[in-house]
Amino acid sequence: MAQKITIDGTEYDLESLSDNARAQVVNLRATDQELARAQAVVSMLQTARTTYANALKAELPVEADAKSKGAAKK
C-alpha cells in the first residue's frame, strides 16, 4: 500500500512526488520531531523552575515575610 501525505488539504501518493519533494517531506518530519523534543524540554524546565522557586520560598526566613507584609500595610 502506497504511503499518502496530505498537504494543504490535498492528498498525495508519496511515491509520485519528485525526489526533492520527498526530501522536503523528510525534512518536515525531522523538524516536527525536533520541535516535539524541544517542547518536552521546555516543559521539563518549566516544571524544574517551579520546583526550585517553591524550594526557595520554603527556605526564606518567616520574619522577612512578616516584615514585608507589615511594610505593605503601612
Side-chain angles (χ1 to χ4, degrees):
M1 182 174 199
Q3 272 192 301
K4 304 276 185 189
I5 185 166
T6 303
I7 301 170
D8 295 334
T10 303
E11 190 174 85
Y12 299 90
D13 180 358
L14 200 56
E15 293 176 11
S16 71
L17 298 178
S18 68
D19 288 344
N20 191 34
R22 283 195 304 271
Q24 296 311 318
V25 169
V26 170
N27 291 339
L28 282 170
R29 288 178 176 166
T31 301
D32 286 344
Q33 289 174 344
E34 282 300 309
L35 282 170
R37 187 191 64 76
Q39 288 167 340
V41 169
V42 167
S43 179
M44 177 195 64
L45 291 172
Q46 288 171 329
T47 300
R49 187 187 190 289
T50 299
T51 301
Y52 296 144
N54 289 338
L56 171 59
K57 287 177 189 177
E59 292 298 319
L60 295 176
V62 176
E63 308 86 56
D65 186 49
K67 287 180 186 176
S68 66
K69 286 182 182 177
K73 290 182 180 178
K74 290 184 182 181

